[in-house]
Amino acid sequence: MPNDTSSHPAPASRAQDEAAARPRPRPAGPFAGPLPILTAAVLWGTTGTAASLAPAGAPAAAIGAAGLVLGGLLLLLTAPGSRSLPRACTGGDRRLLALGILAVAGYPLTFYPAVARTGVAVATVIALGGAPVFAGLLAWLTRRSRPSARWITATAAAVLGCTLLVLGPGLAGDGTPVDVLGVLSAGLAGLSYAVYALAGGQLIVRGHASGAVMGVMFGGAALLVLPVVLWGGGGQLLTVRGALVVGYLGTVTTFLCYRLFGHGLRHTLPQTATTLTLAEPAVAAVLGVAVLGERLPGISWCGLAVLALGIVLLAVPPRRNQRPEDQSPATVE
């Protein structure tokens, strides 16, 4: 009888029913994590082209700091809960916030001087190429979690591709001497990027809203770098062209991009996120060819292809059976 069968299920059927009754976590596919981060990386790739339109003589550090001031204050004022977040945090979370603020402020103050001393290519490959390596090592040291073979392979491919892409002209015989202080400054920029990505990711994993976390970190950093804008910006930033460049850097490459980046960190590991943002130099290189009339040698195009393969390897979820807890942002993938 059907009623008898339903009231006395077989052991296998009962196990299946119990498994089906358990709440299933919502899958975090590419649209939940990698896609917002990749979108931010694409927009970040327009930074160099936008900055090249700034008035002649405008200090690079002041331009970057001005964009951070505008975008950081917008993030702070528009993110719900950002102004109450410090009071709601425990002592450990406040220390993470302070560390993130210092790291965010440190990035433009180290990256732009590195660009001035070594050029865009060398500074970019050291800062952006080193960031995912720093992030993976810091995550390993702080959480004692070993990076997976998938992350190591994808990151190695992305860093190699980034190196070939941005250093291609020099490797093809058009190189210039490298400034040691500039290299160290670019390395500090990569470390700063990794630190604030890890600090922000950890705060988000602990349940704090991503918008509030980004708002506090970037709003606090905006106040720290404000003196650089006031004392080093000069009159160039007050011109129409200077205001337009700063407005774009502040509203698009800072405000919008870091809202996307913070949202993506909810479902993506910080060390994976920093590898995905290696798409930025690829976009910058393509824009340089299409908009600024620059030319790339064949080795740079090969690097672009290798970089794309590494990013795809991270952006596409692995096709294997995983327990739900293995897919959380606290696991190194």
Side-chain angles (χ1 to χ4, degrees), residues 78-117:
T78 60
S82 59
R83 282 166 284 185
S84 61
L85 178 61
R87 295 193 302 270
C89 287
T90 62
D93 288 354
R94 289 195 187 98
R95 286 190 290 271
L96 274 177
L97 272 178
L99 181 62
I101 289 171
L102 291 174
V104 171
Y107 183 81
L109 299 183
T110 52
F111 179 72
Y112 288 98
V115 170
R117 298 186 71 99

PDB file of all heavy atoms in Angstrom, residues 78-117:
ATOM      1  N   THR A  78      28.463  57.006   2.402  1.00  0.00           N
ATOM      2  CA  THR A  78      27.328  56.342   1.744  1.00  0.00           C
ATOM      3  C   THR A  78      27.097  54.916   2.214  1.00  0.00           C
ATOM      4  O   THR A  78      26.013  54.366   1.982  1.00  0.00           O
ATOM      5  CB  THR A  78      27.523  56.328   0.216  1.00  0.00           C
ATOM      6  OG1 THR A  78      28.733  55.629  -0.109  1.00  0.00           O
ATOM      7  CG2 THR A  78      27.599  57.747  -0.327  1.00  0.00           C
ATOM      8  N   ALA A  79      28.095  54.288   2.845  1.00  0.00           N
ATOM      9  CA  ALA A  79      27.923  52.895   3.256  1.00  0.00           C
ATOM     10  C   ALA A  79      27.130  52.823   4.556  1.00  0.00           C
ATOM     11  O   ALA A  79      27.538  53.420   5.559  1.00  0.00           O
ATOM     12  CB  ALA A  79      29.284  52.230   3.435  1.00  0.00           C
ATOM     13  N   PRO A  80      26.003  52.112   4.575  1.00  0.00           N
ATOM     14  CA  PRO A  80      25.238  51.989   5.820  1.00  0.00           C
ATOM     15  C   PRO A  80      26.064  51.301   6.909  1.00  0.00           C
ATOM     16  O   PRO A  80      26.711  50.287   6.670  1.00  0.00           O
ATOM     17  CB  PRO A  80      24.040  51.117   5.407  1.00  0.00           C
ATOM     18  CG  PRO A  80      23.951  51.252   3.926  1.00  0.00           C
ATOM     19  CD  PRO A  80      25.351  51.439   3.454  1.00  0.00           C
ATOM     20  N   GLY A  81      26.042  51.872   8.090  1.00  0.00           N
ATOM     21  CA  GLY A  81      26.723  51.276   9.228  1.00  0.00           C
ATOM     22  C   GLY A  81      28.200  51.587   9.332  1.00  0.00           C
ATOM     23  O   GLY A  81      28.850  51.141  10.285  1.00  0.00           O
ATOM     24  N   SER A  82      28.749  52.345   8.384  1.00  0.00           N
ATOM     25  CA  SER A  82      30.192  52.596   8.424  1.00  0.00           C
ATOM     26  C   SER A  82      30.591  53.453   9.620  1.00  0.00           C
ATOM     27  O   SER A  82      31.622  53.203  10.254  1.00  0.00           O
ATOM     28  CB  SER A  82      30.651  53.250   7.119  1.00  0.00           C
ATOM     29  OG  SER A  82      29.973  54.471   6.905  1.00  0.00           O
ATOM     30  N   ARG A  83      29.765  54.456   9.943  1.00  0.00           N
ATOM     31  CA  ARG A  83      30.134  55.340  11.048  1.00  0.00           C
ATOM     32  C   ARG A  83      29.939  54.694  12.419  1.00  0.00           C
ATOM     33  O   ARG A  83      30.554  55.106  13.403  1.00  0.00           O
ATOM     34  CB  ARG A  83      29.346  56.645  10.959  1.00  0.00           C
ATOM     35  CG  ARG A  83      29.884  57.611   9.910  1.00  0.00           C
ATOM     36  CD  ARG A  83      28.934  58.730   9.595  1.00  0.00           C
ATOM     37  NE  ARG A  83      27.837  58.269   8.760  1.00  0.00           N
ATOM     38  CZ  ARG A  83      26.896  59.064   8.256  1.00  0.00           C
ATOM     39  NH1 ARG A  83      26.911  60.365   8.529  1.00  0.00           N
ATOM     40  NH2 ARG A  83      25.940  58.579   7.491  1.00  0.00           N
ATOM     41  N   SER A  84      29.093  53.663  12.488  1.00  0.00           N
ATOM     42  CA  SER A  84      28.894  52.964  13.760  1.00  0.00           C
ATOM     43  C   SER A  84      29.748  51.705  13.872  1.00  0.00           C
ATOM     44  O   SER A  84      29.776  51.074  14.936  1.00  0.00           O
ATOM     45  CB  SER A  84      27.416  52.574  13.924  1.00  0.00           C
ATOM     46  OG  SER A  84      27.004  51.707  12.882  1.00  0.00           O
ATOM     47  N   LEU A  85      30.435  51.332  12.793  1.00  0.00           N
ATOM     48  CA  LEU A  85      31.211  50.092  12.810  1.00  0.00           C
ATOM     49  C   LEU A  85      32.303  50.085  13.875  1.00  0.00           C
ATOM     50  O   LEU A  85      32.443  49.082  14.605  1.00  0.00           O
ATOM     51  CB  LEU A  85      31.817  49.839  11.425  1.00  0.00           C
ATOM     52  CG  LEU A  85      32.702  48.598  11.306  1.00  0.00           C
ATOM     53  CD1 LEU A  85      31.905  47.338  11.619  1.00  0.00           C
ATOM     54  CD2 LEU A  85      33.312  48.514   9.906  1.00  0.00           C
ATOM     55  N   PRO A  86      33.108  51.147  14.028  1.00  0.00           N
ATOM     56  CA  PRO A  86      34.163  51.081  15.058  1.00  0.00           C
ATOM     57  C   PRO A  86      33.624  50.825  16.459  1.00  0.00           C
ATOM     58  O   PRO A  86      34.254  50.114  17.255  1.00  0.00           O
ATOM     59  CB  PRO A  86      34.823  52.462  14.959  1.00  0.00           C
ATOM     60  CG  PRO A  86      34.571  52.906  13.554  1.00  0.00           C
ATOM     61  CD  PRO A  86      33.202  52.387  13.230  1.00  0.00           C
ATOM     62  N   ARG A  87      32.455  51.392  16.778  1.00  0.00           N
ATOM     63  CA  ARG A  87      31.887  51.165  18.112  1.00  0.00           C
ATOM     64  C   ARG A  87      31.370  49.746  18.272  1.00  0.00           C
ATOM     65  O   ARG A  87      31.359  49.211  19.382  1.00  0.00           O
ATOM     66  CB  ARG A  87      30.758  52.159  18.369  1.00  0.00           C
ATOM     67  CG  ARG A  87      31.205  53.610  18.423  1.00  0.00           C
ATOM     68  CD  ARG A  87      30.107  54.502  18.991  1.00  0.00           C
ATOM     69  NE  ARG A  87      28.888  54.407  18.201  1.00  0.00           N
ATOM     70  CZ  ARG A  87      28.622  55.193  17.155  1.00  0.00           C
ATOM     71  NH1 ARG A  87      29.499  56.110  16.767  1.00  0.00           N
ATOM     72  NH2 ARG A  87      27.496  55.061  16.482  1.00  0.00           N
ATOM     73  N   ALA A  88      30.938  49.139  17.168  1.00  0.00           N
ATOM     74  CA  ALA A  88      30.385  47.791  17.237  1.00  0.00           C
ATOM     75  C   ALA A  88      31.464  46.712  17.227  1.00  0.00           C
ATOM     76  O   ALA A  88      31.163  45.547  17.487  1.00  0.00           O
ATOM     77  CB  ALA A  88      29.426  47.560  16.062  1.00  0.00           C
ATOM     78  N   CYS A  89      32.693  47.092  16.945  1.00  0.00           N
ATOM     79  CA  CYS A  89      33.773  46.113  16.834  1.00  0.00           C
ATOM     80  C   CYS A  89      34.353  45.769  18.199  1.00  0.00           C
ATOM     81  O   CYS A  89      34.351  46.589  19.119  1.00  0.00           O
ATOM     82  CB  CYS A  89      34.894  46.648  15.936  1.00  0.00           C
ATOM     83  SG  CYS A  89      34.476  46.688  14.181  1.00  0.00           S
ATOM     84  N   THR A  90      34.872  44.568  18.302  1.00  0.00           N
ATOM     85  CA  THR A  90      35.639  44.178  19.479  1.00  0.00           C
ATOM     86  C   THR A  90      37.060  44.731  19.354  1.00  0.00           C
ATOM     87  O   THR A  90      37.414  45.342  18.344  1.00  0.00           O
ATOM     88  CB  THR A  90      35.696  42.647  19.589  1.00  0.00           C
ATOM     89  OG1 THR A  90      36.361  42.123  18.428  1.00  0.00           O
ATOM     90  CG2 THR A  90      34.286  42.062  19.652  1.00  0.00           C
ATOM     91  N   GLY A  91      37.864  44.498  20.381  1.00  0.00           N
ATOM     92  CA  GLY A  91      39.229  45.006  20.340  1.00  0.00           C
ATOM     93  C   GLY A  91      40.023  44.449  19.174  1.00  0.00           C
ATOM     94  O   GLY A  91      40.765  45.175  18.500  1.00  0.00           O
ATOM     95  N   GLY A  92      39.872  43.139  18.900  1.00  0.00           N
ATOM     96  CA  GLY A  92      40.581  42.531  17.786  1.00  0.00           C
ATOM     97  C   GLY A  92      40.146  43.091  16.451  1.00  0.00           C
ATOM     98  O   GLY A  92      40.971  43.329  15.554  1.00  0.00           O
ATOM     99  N   ASP A  93      38.841  43.318  16.280  1.00  0.00           N
ATOM    100  CA  ASP A  93      38.336  43.877  15.032  1.00  0.00           C
ATOM    101  C   ASP A  93      38.800  45.324  14.852  1.00  0.00           C
ATOM    102  O   ASP A  93      39.075  45.751  13.729  1.00  0.00           O
ATOM    103  CB  ASP A  93      36.806  43.810  15.012  1.00  0.00           C
ATOM    104  CG  ASP A  93      36.311  42.380  14.827  1.00  0.00           C
ATOM    105  OD1 ASP A  93      37.158  41.493  14.604  1.00  0.00           O
ATOM    106  OD2 ASP A  93      35.092  42.155  14.913  1.00  0.00           O
ATOM    107  N   ARG A  94      38.874  46.070  15.935  1.00  0.00           N
ATOM    108  CA  ARG A  94      39.372  47.453  15.826  1.00  0.00           C
ATOM    109  C   ARG A  94      40.832  47.471  15.376  1.00  0.00           C
ATOM    110  O   ARG A  94      41.235  48.339  14.599  1.00  0.00           O
ATOM    111  CB  ARG A  94      39.216  48.178  17.158  1.00  0.00           C
ATOM    112  CG  ARG A  94      37.779  48.505  17.539  1.00  0.00           C
ATOM    113  CD  ARG A  94      37.730  49.530  18.658  1.00  0.00           C
ATOM    114  NE  ARG A  94      36.357  49.708  19.131  1.00  0.00           N
ATOM    115  CZ  ARG A  94      35.847  49.119  20.196  1.00  0.00           C
ATOM    116  NH1 ARG A  94      36.613  48.318  20.923  1.00  0.00           N
ATOM    117  NH2 ARG A  94      34.599  49.322  20.568  1.00  0.00           N
ATOM    118  N   ARG A  95      41.606  46.528  15.874  1.00  0.00           N
ATOM    119  CA  ARG A  95      43.002  46.463  15.441  1.00  0.00           C
ATOM    120  C   ARG A  95      43.092  46.121  13.964  1.00  0.00           C
ATOM    121  O   ARG A  95      43.948  46.651  13.245  1.00  0.00           O
ATOM    122  CB  ARG A  95      43.760  45.441  16.291  1.00  0.00           C
ATOM    123  CG  ARG A  95      44.053  45.929  17.712  1.00  0.00           C
ATOM    124  CD  ARG A  95      45.002  44.994  18.432  1.00  0.00           C
ATOM    125  NE  ARG A  95      44.376  43.724  18.745  1.00  0.00           N
ATOM    126  CZ  ARG A  95      43.705  43.495  19.879  1.00  0.00           C
ATOM    127  NH1 ARG A  95      43.563  44.460  20.776  1.00  0.00           N
ATOM    128  NH2 ARG A  95      43.168  42.307  20.100  1.00  0.00           N
ATOM    129  N   LEU A  96      42.218  45.241  13.502  1.00  0.00           N
ATOM    130  CA  LEU A  96      42.186  44.927  12.066  1.00  0.00           C
ATOM    131  C   LEU A  96      41.793  46.156  11.242  1.00  0.00           C
ATOM    132  O   LEU A  96      42.363  46.409  10.174  1.00  0.00           O
ATOM    133  CB  LEU A  96      41.200  43.786  11.793  1.00  0.00           C
ATOM    134  CG  LEU A  96      41.705  42.358  11.938  1.00  0.00           C
ATOM    135  CD1 LEU A  96      40.571  41.372  11.696  1.00  0.00           C
ATOM    136  CD2 LEU A  96      42.859  42.088  10.986  1.00  0.00           C
ATOM    137  N   LEU A  97      40.818  46.922  11.736  1.00  0.00           N
ATOM    138  CA  LEU A  97      40.421  48.147  11.046  1.00  0.00           C
ATOM    139  C   LEU A  97      41.578  49.132  10.962  1.00  0.00           C
ATOM    140  O   LEU A  97      41.840  49.716   9.901  1.00  0.00           O
ATOM    141  CB  LEU A  97      39.238  48.797  11.772  1.00  0.00           C
ATOM    142  CG  LEU A  97      37.828  48.356  11.386  1.00  0.00           C
ATOM    143  CD1 LEU A  97      36.809  49.074  12.256  1.00  0.00           C
ATOM    144  CD2 LEU A  97      37.545  48.615   9.919  1.00  0.00           C
ATOM    145  N   ALA A  98      42.270  49.321  12.080  1.00  0.00           N
ATOM    146  CA  ALA A  98      43.399  50.245  12.088  1.00  0.00           C
ATOM    147  C   ALA A  98      44.488  49.789  11.129  1.00  0.00           C
ATOM    148  O   ALA A  98      45.076  50.599  10.396  1.00  0.00           O
ATOM    149  CB  ALA A  98      43.953  50.372  13.503  1.00  0.00           C
ATOM    150  N   LEU A  99      44.746  48.486  11.108  1.00  0.00           N
ATOM    151  CA  LEU A  99      45.753  47.952  10.191  1.00  0.00           C
ATOM    152  C   LEU A  99      45.326  48.167   8.742  1.00  0.00           C
ATOM    153  O   LEU A  99      46.134  48.546   7.887  1.00  0.00           O
ATOM    154  CB  LEU A  99      45.952  46.464  10.472  1.00  0.00           C
ATOM    155  CG  LEU A  99      46.993  45.737   9.619  1.00  0.00           C
ATOM    156  CD1 LEU A  99      48.381  46.323   9.849  1.00  0.00           C
ATOM    157  CD2 LEU A  99      46.983  44.242   9.922  1.00  0.00           C
ATOM    158  N   GLY A 100      44.032  47.938   8.457  1.00  0.00           N
ATOM    159  CA  GLY A 100      43.536  48.155   7.102  1.00  0.00           C
ATOM    160  C   GLY A 100      43.630  49.612   6.681  1.00  0.00           C
ATOM    161  O   GLY A 100      43.986  49.919   5.539  1.00  0.00           O
ATOM    162  N   ILE A 101      43.337  50.530   7.598  1.00  0.00           N
ATOM    163  CA  ILE A 101      43.421  51.969   7.293  1.00  0.00           C
ATOM    164  C   ILE A 101      44.857  52.352   6.939  1.00  0.00           C
ATOM    165  O   ILE A 101      45.115  53.053   5.949  1.00  0.00           O
ATOM    166  CB  ILE A 101      42.902  52.792   8.475  1.00  0.00           C
ATOM    167  CG1 ILE A 101      41.379  52.647   8.597  1.00  0.00           C
ATOM    168  CG2 ILE A 101      43.273  54.261   8.328  1.00  0.00           C
ATOM    169  CD1 ILE A 101      40.802  53.245   9.858  1.00  0.00           C
ATOM    170  N   LEU A 102      45.808  51.898   7.736  1.00  0.00           N
ATOM    171  CA  LEU A 102      47.211  52.213   7.474  1.00  0.00           C
ATOM    172  C   LEU A 102      47.660  51.626   6.141  1.00  0.00           C
ATOM    173  O   LEU A 102      48.408  52.266   5.381  1.00  0.00           O
ATOM    174  CB  LEU A 102      48.089  51.685   8.607  1.00  0.00           C
ATOM    175  CG  LEU A 102      47.956  52.390   9.953  1.00  0.00           C
ATOM    176  CD1 LEU A 102      48.779  51.664  11.010  1.00  0.00           C
ATOM    177  CD2 LEU A 102      48.384  53.847   9.846  1.00  0.00           C
ATOM    178  N   ALA A 103      47.215  50.404   5.839  1.00  0.00           N
ATOM    179  CA  ALA A 103      47.615  49.763   4.588  1.00  0.00           C
ATOM    180  C   ALA A 103      47.016  50.479   3.380  1.00  0.00           C
ATOM    181  O   ALA A 103      47.692  50.659   2.365  1.00  0.00           O
ATOM    182  CB  ALA A 103      47.190  48.293   4.600  1.00  0.00           C
ATOM    183  N   VAL A 104      45.742  50.880   3.476  1.00  0.00           N
ATOM    184  CA  VAL A 104      45.115  51.609   2.371  1.00  0.00           C
ATOM    185  C   VAL A 104      45.846  52.927   2.126  1.00  0.00           C
ATOM    186  O   VAL A 104      46.127  53.311   0.983  1.00  0.00           O
ATOM    187  CB  VAL A 104      43.622  51.861   2.665  1.00  0.00           C
ATOM    188  CG1 VAL A 104      43.026  52.816   1.632  1.00  0.00           C
ATOM    189  CG2 VAL A 104      42.851  50.545   2.651  1.00  0.00           C
ATOM    190  N   ALA A 105      46.164  53.649   3.203  1.00  0.00           N
ATOM    191  CA  ALA A 105      46.876  54.916   3.061  1.00  0.00           C
ATOM    192  C   ALA A 105      48.273  54.704   2.506  1.00  0.00           C
ATOM    193  O   ALA A 105      48.801  55.550   1.764  1.00  0.00           O
ATOM    194  CB  ALA A 105      46.949  55.633   4.405  1.00  0.00           C
ATOM    195  N   GLY A 106      48.888  53.581   2.843  1.00  0.00           N
ATOM    196  CA  GLY A 106      50.248  53.335   2.393  1.00  0.00           C
ATOM    197  C   GLY A 106      50.368  53.028   0.926  1.00  0.00           C
ATOM    198  O   GLY A 106      51.426  53.266   0.321  1.00  0.00           O
ATOM    199  N   TYR A 107      49.284  52.501   0.315  1.00  0.00           N
ATOM    200  CA  TYR A 107      49.404  52.085  -1.089  1.00  0.00           C
ATOM    201  C   TYR A 107      49.718  53.249  -2.033  1.00  0.00           C
ATOM    202  O   TYR A 107      50.719  53.197  -2.762  1.00  0.00           O
ATOM    203  CB  TYR A 107      48.140  51.350  -1.531  1.00  0.00           C
ATOM    204  CG  TYR A 107      48.252  50.832  -2.943  1.00  0.00           C
ATOM    205  CD1 TYR A 107      48.925  49.634  -3.199  1.00  0.00           C
ATOM    206  CD2 TYR A 107      47.724  51.535  -4.024  1.00  0.00           C
ATOM    207  CE1 TYR A 107      49.050  49.152  -4.490  1.00  0.00           C
ATOM    208  CE2 TYR A 107      47.859  51.057  -5.314  1.00  0.00           C
ATOM    209  CZ  TYR A 107      48.518  49.869  -5.541  1.00  0.00           C
ATOM    210  OH  TYR A 107      48.653  49.404  -6.821  1.00  0.00           O
ATOM    211  N   PRO A 108      48.912  54.320  -2.082  1.00  0.00           N
ATOM    212  CA  PRO A 108      49.248  55.401  -3.019  1.00  0.00           C
ATOM    213  C   PRO A 108      50.536  56.121  -2.663  1.00  0.00           C
ATOM    214  O   PRO A 108      51.215  56.651  -3.549  1.00  0.00           O
ATOM    215  CB  PRO A 108      48.048  56.348  -2.922  1.00  0.00           C
ATOM    216  CG  PRO A 108      47.458  56.087  -1.590  1.00  0.00           C
ATOM    217  CD  PRO A 108      47.680  54.628  -1.336  1.00  0.00           C
ATOM    218  N   LEU A 109      50.901  56.138  -1.380  1.00  0.00           N
ATOM    219  CA  LEU A 109      52.119  56.832  -0.967  1.00  0.00           C
ATOM    220  C   LEU A 109      53.376  56.043  -1.297  1.00  0.00           C
ATOM    221  O   LEU A 109      54.487  56.589  -1.234  1.00  0.00           O
ATOM    222  CB  LEU A 109      52.075  57.120   0.540  1.00  0.00           C
ATOM    223  CG  LEU A 109      50.916  58.017   1.003  1.00  0.00           C
ATOM    224  CD1 LEU A 109      51.020  58.275   2.494  1.00  0.00           C
ATOM    225  CD2 LEU A 109      50.901  59.333   0.227  1.00  0.00           C
ATOM    226  N   THR A 110      53.231  54.764  -1.642  1.00  0.00           N
ATOM    227  CA  THR A 110      54.389  53.959  -2.047  1.00  0.00           C
ATOM    228  C   THR A 110      54.346  53.611  -3.534  1.00  0.00           C
ATOM    229  O   THR A 110      55.385  53.577  -4.194  1.00  0.00           O
ATOM    230  CB  THR A 110      54.450  52.651  -1.235  1.00  0.00           C
ATOM    231  OG1 THR A 110      53.183  51.978  -1.306  1.00  0.00           O
ATOM    232  CG2 THR A 110      54.781  52.937   0.219  1.00  0.00           C
ATOM    233  N   PHE A 111      53.151  53.385  -4.073  1.00  0.00           N
ATOM    234  CA  PHE A 111      53.062  52.974  -5.474  1.00  0.00           C
ATOM    235  C   PHE A 111      53.411  54.114  -6.435  1.00  0.00           C
ATOM    236  O   PHE A 111      54.196  53.928  -7.374  1.00  0.00           O
ATOM    237  CB  PHE A 111      51.655  52.449  -5.779  1.00  0.00           C
ATOM    238  CG  PHE A 111      51.482  52.024  -7.213  1.00  0.00           C
ATOM    239  CD1 PHE A 111      52.089  50.870  -7.688  1.00  0.00           C
ATOM    240  CD2 PHE A 111      50.717  52.773  -8.093  1.00  0.00           C
ATOM    241  CE1 PHE A 111      51.936  50.470  -9.005  1.00  0.00           C
ATOM    242  CE2 PHE A 111      50.563  52.391  -9.403  1.00  0.00           C
ATOM    243  CZ  PHE A 111      51.164  51.234  -9.863  1.00  0.00           C
ATOM    244  N   TYR A 112      52.834  55.294  -6.218  1.00  0.00           N
ATOM    245  CA  TYR A 112      53.075  56.383  -7.158  1.00  0.00           C
ATOM    246  C   TYR A 112      54.529  56.862  -7.152  1.00  0.00           C
ATOM    247  O   TYR A 112      55.093  57.132  -8.221  1.00  0.00           O
ATOM    248  CB  TYR A 112      52.099  57.525  -6.897  1.00  0.00           C
ATOM    249  CG  TYR A 112      50.696  57.187  -7.337  1.00  0.00           C
ATOM    250  CD1 TYR A 112      49.740  56.735  -6.424  1.00  0.00           C
ATOM    251  CD2 TYR A 112      50.318  57.298  -8.662  1.00  0.00           C
ATOM    252  CE1 TYR A 112      48.464  56.397  -6.829  1.00  0.00           C
ATOM    253  CE2 TYR A 112      49.038  56.971  -9.082  1.00  0.00           C
ATOM    254  CZ  TYR A 112      48.115  56.517  -8.160  1.00  0.00           C
ATOM    255  OH  TYR A 112      46.851  56.177  -8.563  1.00  0.00           O
ATOM    256  N   PRO A 113      55.197  56.970  -5.992  1.00  0.00           N
ATOM    257  CA  PRO A 113      56.637  57.255  -6.039  1.00  0.00           C
ATOM    258  C   PRO A 113      57.429  56.159  -6.745  1.00  0.00           C
ATOM    259  O   PRO A 113      58.433  56.446  -7.413  1.00  0.00           O
ATOM    260  CB  PRO A 113      57.025  57.348  -4.562  1.00  0.00           C
ATOM    261  CG  PRO A 113      55.776  57.782  -3.878  1.00  0.00           C
ATOM    262  CD  PRO A 113      54.678  57.080  -4.612  1.00  0.00           C
ATOM    263  N   ALA A 114      56.978  54.893  -6.616  1.00  0.00           N
ATOM    264  CA  ALA A 114      57.655  53.809  -7.327  1.00  0.00           C
ATOM    265  C   ALA A 114      57.517  53.984  -8.831  1.00  0.00           C
ATOM    266  O   ALA A 114      58.469  53.750  -9.589  1.00  0.00           O
ATOM    267  CB  ALA A 114      57.079  52.457  -6.898  1.00  0.00           C
ATOM    268  N   VAL A 115      56.343  54.396  -9.270  1.00  0.00           N
ATOM    269  CA  VAL A 115      56.135  54.651 -10.695  1.00  0.00           C
ATOM    270  C   VAL A 115      57.061  55.760 -11.177  1.00  0.00           C
ATOM    271  O   VAL A 115      57.658  55.678 -12.261  1.00  0.00           O
ATOM    272  CB  VAL A 115      54.662  55.017 -10.965  1.00  0.00           C
ATOM    273  CG1 VAL A 115      54.476  55.532 -12.389  1.00  0.00           C
ATOM    274  CG2 VAL A 115      53.765  53.808 -10.716  1.00  0.00           C
ATOM    275  N   ALA A 116      57.201  56.813 -10.362  1.00  0.00           N
ATOM    276  CA  ALA A 116      58.058  57.937 -10.744  1.00  0.00           C
ATOM    277  C   ALA A 116      59.525  57.527 -10.849  1.00  0.00           C
ATOM    278  O   ALA A 116      60.265  58.045 -11.683  1.00  0.00           O
ATOM    279  CB  ALA A 116      57.894  59.078  -9.751  1.00  0.00           C
ATOM    280  N   ARG A 117      59.957  56.562 -10.007  1.00  0.00           N
ATOM    281  CA  ARG A 117      61.368  56.178  -9.976  1.00  0.00           C
ATOM    282  C   ARG A 117      61.697  55.059 -10.948  1.00  0.00           C
ATOM    283  O   ARG A 117      62.800  55.015 -11.503  1.00  0.00           O
ATOM    284  CB  ARG A 117      61.779  55.765  -8.558  1.00  0.00           C
ATOM    285  CG  ARG A 117      61.642  56.866  -7.514  1.00  0.00           C
ATOM    286  CD  ARG A 117      62.198  56.402  -6.186  1.00  0.00           C
ATOM    287  NE  ARG A 117      63.644  56.295  -6.247  1.00  0.00           N
ATOM    288  CZ  ARG A 117      64.478  57.218  -5.782  1.00  0.00           C
ATOM    289  NH1 ARG A 117      63.999  58.321  -5.217  1.00  0.00           N
ATOM    290  NH2 ARG A 117      65.779  57.047  -5.860  1.00  0.00           N
TER     291      ARG A 117
END
